[in-house]
Amino acid sequence: MKKGDRDRRPSSPRSGRDSKERPRRPDGGMRIVVPLQGVVQGRGGLVLGSLIPCALFYFLQLYIKRNRPPPSPTPGSPSAAASSASTPAGAAAAAVSTIHRTLSRGILSPRGLPALSARGAVARAGDEDSLYYAGLRRCADDPYHPASNPSGVIQLGLAENHLSLDLVRRWMEEHAGPALTPGGDDEDRDLTIRGLATYQPYDGILALKMALAEFMRHIMQESVSFDPSQMVITSGATSAMEILSFCVADPGNAFLVPSPYYPGWDRDIKWRTGIELIPVPCRSTDNFNISITALEIAYNQAKKRGVRVRGVLISNPSNPTGSFVPKQTLRDLLQFATEKNIHLISDEVFAGSTFGSDEFVSVAEVVDELEDLDRGRVHIIYGLSKDLSLAGFRVGVIYSYNESIVAAAAKIARFSSVSTPTQRLLVAMLSDQKFISSYLKINRERLQKVYRLLVDALKQVGIECFKSSGGFYCWADMSKFIRSYSEKGERKLWDRLLEEAKLNVTPGSSCHCIEPGWFRCCFTTLSEQDIPVVVERLRRITDGHKSNR
């Protein structure tokens, strides 16, 4: 049949309007079809054709649910337990089974707990690669004791002063009670408990600030006075350092830090503030003195990298070398800070733990001498953990010549305040001038004696120490005992000292010392009887090194 014939083929006869030819639809004659669309015609066909099958489906599901036979009890279900309990064996089994099952799958979600924040993850893993903290953890797991654990690890890495704890204990036994609960009538006692149990200024009570100002003046041989209004008290010198860092620098800014420096600063300052620490190397050939030329080079290099330097951070007496910053160097540092318009932060937590013939000079003394200096860029960190052997009391001090920084630090101290009973107790202790004078004198004598004993003992095994005048450390040169003059060789020696000799010391690389082989040894955790044990253990390493040469 030809195409034209097909087009002319007559249509089948139909009646009414169906017999008429319908116009072609744009979709080629196709229409949308839904269930029962062809049954229900008319204007509402699309709607009814959708609702009727949905309703039928609903009633079908309801019928099936009502007429479904009861399921057989599964093991462990309450019905199964009830049916099995009707028999003697079942009753015994039911008595034994006391585990209650839950039908909630959400409680046992396979996804586990929500993850740590990025900041939390950084804090959790922040010191995992530090030999300094690894040694402290190793010592905490197996601490040496001459009677109960004579083969344990001897602690030479932690700056705690055990030499004068007996003096502190004796004062506590005699005065702690009266200091917190003095006698008097009921009204006086009521005022005392109110002062202990109620809120006090977060940046420290005025009585403690005044007592600390007098104590700091005392340990600096009364060469300088301190104003309590320029002081903020915090829970330890670590908190003081972090709070001050928050106030003087922003994330991404940097401090220039002469190295070797205290290894804890990498955690205490960098973790939460986001501040970068730029080590500025000091060398043994210069007696580890600070070089202004090296600071200038480091400053310019940071500037080229786009890093804004906001301050210079020093420790005086030095941690770890135990040396003092000369007075002229302090003047040069103040001039450098003024020229660059940056801050100078001096950590002086060992100011009262000095010995030897050298004279300690605080940066506060130099500030008082320079009349034309802009004092607002100078800040001091202090605390009672070292000089009074009160590490557990957690008392630190920010002393700043900048009123704005004092005001800001006082508000941040809300998150780092010292308990009021601790403050009241320290007011009584620091106000006891007879005790303070006696303690400082005896403590310095003991520091010098044990330092000298350890230095002489190390010489017996061929280890020389840098001359220290303050602090709790011997800065020991063990470079002759490392097999390769490198940081890797130093790390291997540190590992042998820890695992074979059972001695925890701090490697120089943790202090950013660029010369391999230096180690920081804390002597204030030792008794005089412990020193021969240290020497005996060191011989395991030094004698073994000689035999392998």
Side-chain angles (χ1 to χ4, degrees):
M1 184 182 294
K2 297 181 180 179
K3 180 179 180 181
D5 296 335
R6 287 198 306 266
D7 295 338
R8 292 192 298 269
R9 187 176 61 183
S11 60
S12 58
R14 292 185 182 180
S15 63
R17 63 184 179 186
D18 289 341
S19 62
K20 297 179 181 181
E21 185 173 345
R22 296 177 181 175
R24 288 186 176 273
R25 298 162 56 92
D27 56 3
M30 298 296 292
R31 74 164 86 185
I32 299 174
V33 180
V34 296
L36 298 183
Q37 179 73 41
V39 177
V40 183
Q41 296 292 332
R43 189 179 295 271
L46 180 61
V47 177
L48 294 176
S50 301
L51 292 178
I52 291 175
C54 292
L56 290 175
F57 179 79
Y58 171 79
F59 286 116
L60 177 62
Q61 293 294 322
L62 184 62
Y63 174 82
I64 293 174
K65 183 177 181 180
R66 289 186 174 181
N67 294 276
R68 179 181 298 166
S72 58
T74 58
S77 66
S79 58
S83 61
S84 62
S86 60
T87 64
V96 173
S97 177
T98 59
I99 300 177
H100 299 281
R101 298 181 182 272
T102 177
L103 298 179
S104 173
R105 294 178 178 268
I107 297 177
L108 301 176
S109 173
R111 291 176 294 178
L113 295 175
L116 276 174
S117 67
R119 291 174 299 181
V122 170
R124 184 176 185 274
D127 59 10
E128 293 298 325
D129 59 346
S130 170
L131 301 186
Y132 170 65
Y133 291 107
L136 294 180
R137 288 191 293 268
R138 179 71 174 82
C139 191
D141 292 339
D142 184 25
Y144 167 81
H145 189 276
S148 60
N149 190 20
S151 61
V153 180
I154 295 179
Q155 180 64 279
L156 297 172
L158 186 62
E160 287 181 341
N161 186 2
H162 299 176
L163 302 179
S164 300
L165 287 178
D166 60 313
L167 303 178
V168 176
R169 185 192 70 245
R170 192 178 308 132
W171 187 93
M172 291 287 184
E173 291 172 349
E174 296 175 1
H175 302 93
L180 294 177
T181 56
D185 56 25
D186 293 341
E187 183 177 356
D188 291 338
R189 288 196 294 270
D190 182 59
L191 291 174
T192 300
I193 192 61
R194 286 177 184 271
L196 293 175
T198 58
Y199 286 119
Q200 300 297 322
Y202 296 113
D203 60 322
I205 60 177
L206 179 59
L208 180 57
K209 290 182 178 181
M210 295 176 64
L212 277 166
E214 180 61 26
F215 177 71
M216 292 170 67
R217 186 182 74 90
H218 189 114
I219 64 175
M220 302 196 185
Q221 310 301 320
E222 301 183 0
S223 59
V224 62
S225 297
F226 294 91
D227 184 351
S229 67
Q230 297 172 202
M231 190 177 292
V232 175
I233 299 174
T234 65
S235 59
T238 295
S239 297
M241 181 65 75
E242 186 190 50
I243 291 173
L244 180 60
S245 300
F246 266 110
C247 294
V248 302
D250 294 313
N253 295 162
F255 293 153
L256 302 179
V257 190
S259 65
Y261 63 74
Y262 167 51
W265 280 347
D266 290 323
R267 178 190 66 179
D268 300 347
I269 298 176
K270 295 167 64 174
W271 268 15
R272 297 199 297 182
T273 66
I275 297 172
E276 179 182 351
L277 299 185
I278 301 177
V280 182
C282 303
R283 303 179 182 277
S284 60
T285 52
D286 297 326
N287 292 321
F288 294 104
N289 286 323
I290 299 172
S291 168
I292 302 299
T293 302
L295 286 172
E296 185 78 40
I297 293 172
Y299 180 89
N300 292 331
Q301 290 176 343
K303 190 175 181 179
K304 289 180 180 179
R305 292 193 291 120
V307 177
R308 186 180 181 185
V309 175
R310 295 303 304 269
V312 177
L313 171 61
I314 65 171
S315 59
N316 184 30
S318 170
N319 178 358
T321 67
S323 60
F324 298 157
V325 179
K327 194 172 189 177
Q328 183 57 48
T329 302
L330 291 173
R331 292 195 182 100
D332 295 340
L333 286 169
L334 289 170
Q335 182 178 353
F336 177 82
T338 301
E339 291 175 357
K340 306 302 182 185
N341 193 26
I342 60 178
H343 298 271
L344 176 62
I345 303 171
S346 181
D347 183 340
E348 301 184 358
V349 295
F350 290 104
S353 301
T354 58
F355 49 87
S357 57
D358 294 341
E359 180 184 2
F360 170 77
V361 178
S362 170
V363 70
E365 182 176 340
V366 180
V367 168
D368 284 350
E369 294 176 355
L370 301 177
E371 297 180 358
D372 57 343
L373 175 71
D374 181 4
R375 300 184 175 196
R377 68 181 75 256
V378 182
H379 323 282
I380 298 172
I381 297 295
Y382 187 66
L384 299 180
S385 297
K386 314 305 180 186
D387 289 348
L388 270 183
S389 307
L390 297 176
F393 277 48
R394 311 307 303 133
V395 177
V397 177
I398 300 171
Y399 189 84
S400 176
Y401 294 90
N402 189 311
E403 293 181 2
S404 297
I405 287 179
V406 171
K411 293 184 177 180
I412 302 177
R414 173 185 179 91
F415 308 103
S416 183
S417 57
V418 182
S419 72
T420 305
T422 299
Q423 295 189 65
R424 294 291 181 186
L425 182 62
L426 288 173
V427 169
M429 177 182 286
L430 295 174
S431 301
D432 188 343
Q433 293 299 320
K434 181 179 179 181
F435 166 75
I436 292 299
S437 298
S438 173
Y439 174 89
L440 291 175
K441 178 177 180 296
I442 296 174
N443 185 55
R444 283 175 171 143
E445 292 173 352
R446 293 178 178 180
L447 287 173
Q448 185 173 28
K449 180 179 181 181
V450 179
Y451 168 77
R452 190 76 263 161
L453 287 173
L454 183 59
V455 169
D456 292 343
L458 294 177
K459 283 184 180 180
Q460 298 177 19
V461 292
I463 298 174
E464 296 290 334
C465 292
F466 181 77
K467 180 185 177 182
S468 296
S469 299
F472 298 164
Y473 313 109
C474 291
W475 185 234
D477 182 6
M478 303 187 194
S479 58
K480 67 173 68 175
F481 301 108
I482 60 177
R483 295 175 181 176
S484 63
Y485 190 72
S486 63
E487 183 176 335
K488 183 178 180 181
E490 179 185 276
R491 183 183 184 117
K492 288 183 176 179
L493 177 57
W494 171 84
D495 189 67
R496 292 188 64 201
L497 288 168
L498 185 62
E499 300 301 332
E500 297 179 28
K502 294 293 189 71
L503 297 173
N504 176 41
V505 296
T506 304
S509 57
S510 293
C511 306
H512 297 271
C513 182
I514 63 171
E515 300 178 17
W518 289 91
F519 289 83
R520 191 190 74 166
C521 305
C522 179
F523 60 85
T524 52
T525 55
L526 301 174
S527 66
E528 294 184 28
Q529 294 73 28
D530 294 332
I531 293 178
V533 181
V534 172
V535 173
E536 179 185 353
R537 293 188 179 191
L538 279 172
R539 290 191 187 278
R540 303 175 191 174
I541 306 300
T542 58
D543 291 350
H545 178 80
K546 294 176 183 178
S547 62
N548 291 330
R549 294 183 63 179

